[in-house]
Amino acid sequence: MKIDQFNFAGHKAIVRVDFNVPLDENGNVTDDTRIRGALPTLKKVLADGGALIMMSHMGKPKGKVKPALSLSQIVNKVSEALGVEVKFAKDAGNADAEAAALKGGEALLLENLRYYAEEEGKPVDVEKGTPEYDEAKKAMKESQKKFAAKLASYADVYVNDAFGTAHRKHASTAVIADSFDADHKMLGYLMEKEVKAVDNVLGNIKRPFVAIMGGSKVSSKIGIIENLLGKVDKLILCGGMTYTFAKAHNGEIGDSIVELDKLDVALGVEELAKKNGVELILGSDCVATNGLDFATMSVKEGAEKIVCPATAVPAGFEGVDAGPESQKAFAEAIKGAKTILWNGPAGVFECDDFAVGSKAIGDAIAAATAEGAFSLIGGGDSVACVNKFGLADQVSYISTGGGALLEAIEGKTLPGVAAIEG
């Protein structure tokens, strides 16, 4: 069922949202982006005259009650955003009375789902790899089904609008869907947009297709890179992983970040790109320093900054940004693209001195988007980049998905989507 086709009047809808928002030491929300992102779905339920039950996790309490992670702290913020007083259920696993009392146009927020080990379906206080853990895991799977059924019993419609957790087969993101027939479970507006954006990039490709993958490690991106090499026309690899590729060709990389056990993986990526006819673009030069203070994201007084080949970083220096020649090559590769995916920065963008390479990529993507390209920005650092550079309204879509987006790009089925779409 599509959410636009459903009238929530006379129904109670339990909606999985992602309200895992940052809080300050006083429990105040410091960034309400995720709350605002869920509003179209939540307001649709209320505007139709439906009763709204919201459920979310916050942090990683791992089955324990931790007051610092209580969703009670965000009730006022959610009420303000929704324009209705939001009631609160202190026990998500026993909210029958609160749910039963809810009338059309009213809203209820359940306590942090991860206070309950059944949400994630993982045994707590049992050591992994032991026979006891295996037994506990079997028992937990049954408990998870019961917990999911309990959550489902509060409503007659289920909506999943939490793309950020769609890659997890948790009670509230996938298992709960088994309690609803096809006409009474659906994706929320945010989830629909995320799924469509991924499909535009991977399933409805307009060429040339250029992907930019950055970040520090090849190992964390290898599955994504390999999947993309079967789809893209050009692949730009930048950021910290540059130096693993440079080292694989016996380059000198100074103190730059490197995965010495992944040199063969780097060479394998190059071979696969060649085999698939993909143009692989690696940074030829870099900005290096001998005095980056990671704690303050600043350059230490008296430290040097130099531009050098990525394969000839002097001892005592580390590569921290793409150099001017690399920036030109990246921009040229992006120019004329019709489909663009960006995940991961070109350097230590948090430090203004070393954000130039990432900004060059962002500017090139914005220019290509203005010429008609579909551009998808995903991953926390890339999203932070476009926001820092004021480019958010100059790209096609910014994903909130994080791990879910990366797994979708890798070609994996997302349990939260499959539970509804089949």
Side-chain angles (χ1 to χ4, degrees), residues 239-262:
M241 69 175 78
T242 299
Y243 309 102
T244 296
F245 282 84
K247 191 67 176 177
H249 290 284
N250 299 313
E252 296 296 331
I253 60 169
D255 294 341
S256 304
I257 189 169
V258 65
E259 291 180 285
L260 293 174
D261 61 337
K262 294 293 183 288

Side-chain angles (χ1 to χ4, degrees), residues 290-333:
N290 59 357
L292 175 62
D293 184 342
F294 276 97
T296 61
M297 282 299 170
S298 62
V299 182
K300 297 174 184 174
E301 190 175 344
E304 295 178 70
K305 290 184 293 179
I306 62 170
V307 174
C308 60
T311 53
V313 181
F317 283 74
E318 60 181 324
V320 288
D321 195 10
E325 291 304 314
S326 298
Q327 292 168 32
K328 286 179 192 172
F330 297 164
E332 187 60 34

Side-chain angles (χ1 to χ4, degrees), residues 50-390:
L52 172 65
I53 301 167
M54 296 167 281
M55 55 180 177
S56 178
H57 74 285
M58 180 178 280
K60 297 179 179 180
K62 298 183 178 178
K64 305 289 177 65
V65 174
K66 295 185 178 180
L69 296 175
S70 174
L71 290 179
S72 62
Q73 301 169 98
I74 71 168
V75 171
N76 289 341
K77 194 71 175 177
V78 177
S79 297
E80 180 186 314
L82 267 181
V84 300
E85 181 186 352
V86 174
K87 299 172 171 61
F88 184 68
K90 295 179 181 178
D91 185 352
N94 291 285
D96 306 73
E98 292 95 330
L102 209 60
K103 297 180 177 65
E106 294 182 341
L108 171 71
L109 176 65
L110 305 183
E111 180 57 282
N112 191 343
L113 294 169
R114 289 187 184 172
Y115 278 4
Y116 311 81
E118 293 85 356
E119 163 64 1
E120 295 183 89
K122 296 176 183 176
V124 294
D125 299 328
V126 185
E127 190 177 342
K128 275 188 177 181
T130 63
E132 291 81 7
Y133 183 85
D134 293 338
E135 285 302 312
K137 194 172 181 181
K138 285 180 189 174
M140 178 56 77
K141 286 299 175 189
E142 288 306 309
S143 296
Q144 185 185 49
K145 289 178 185 176
K146 290 178 182 176
F147 181 64
K150 181 68 169 179
L151 294 173
S153 72
Y154 303 150
D156 62 317
V157 182
Y158 169 62
V159 184
N160 190 347
D161 209 28
F163 186 73
T165 58
H167 58 312
R168 306 294 187 201
K169 193 172 183 179
H170 291 170
S172 68
T173 63
V175 183
I176 187 174
D178 291 340
S179 296
F180 298 87
D181 62 42
D183 291 333
H184 291 83
K185 58 183 175 182
M186 62 205 72
L187 302 179
Y189 288 120
L190 185 60
M191 278 280 277
E192 281 189 343
K193 287 198 318 190
E194 293 276 1
V195 171
K196 184 179 178 183
V198 171
D199 186 58
N200 277 339
V201 166
L202 300 182
N204 184 29
I205 301 168
K206 293 181 174 61
R207 299 189 181 278
F209 178 12
V210 179
I212 306 103
M213 301 299 297
S216 59
K217 295 181 178 180
V218 182
S219 57
S220 64
K221 302 282 176 76
I222 186 59
I224 302 162
I225 290 170
E226 288 177 343
N227 190 48
L228 286 173
L229 284 172
K231 299 178 182 296
V232 300
D233 300 292
K234 299 177 185 179
L235 177 62
I236 296 169
L237 297 179
C238 56
M241 69 175 78
T242 299
Y243 309 102
T244 296
F245 282 84
K247 191 67 176 177
H249 290 284
N250 299 313
E252 296 296 331
I253 60 169
D255 294 341
S256 304
I257 189 169
V258 65
E259 291 180 285
L260 293 174
D261 61 337
K262 294 293 183 288
L263 303 184
D264 58 334
V265 172
L267 294 175
V269 166
E270 294 181 2
E271 280 300 311
L272 185 57
K274 193 181 298 181
K275 178 182 174 184
N276 289 358
V278 174
E279 183 182 349
L280 186 65
I281 299 109
L282 285 157
S284 58
D285 64 345
C286 68
V287 176
T289 185
N290 59 357
L292 175 62
D293 184 342
F294 276 97
T296 61
M297 282 299 170
S298 62
V299 182
K300 297 174 184 174
E301 190 175 344
E304 295 178 70
K305 290 184 293 179
I306 62 170
V307 174
C308 60
T311 53
V313 181
F317 283 74
E318 60 181 324
V320 288
D321 195 10
E325 291 304 314
S326 298
Q327 292 168 32
K328 286 179 192 172
F330 297 164
E332 187 60 34
I334 294 167
K335 187 178 180 181
K338 292 303 176 190
T339 303
I340 303 169
L341 168 69
W342 184 21
N343 174 260
V348 188
F349 75 97
E350 298 92 341
C351 177
D352 290 345
D353 290 59
F354 309 127
V356 182
S358 298
K359 186 174 188 304
I361 289 172
D363 287 340
I365 292 173
T369 305
E371 292 294 321
F374 178 85
S375 52
L376 170 60
I377 315 299
D381 285 344
S382 300
V383 173
C385 279
V386 295
N387 287 330
K388 175 172 181 168
F389 306 138

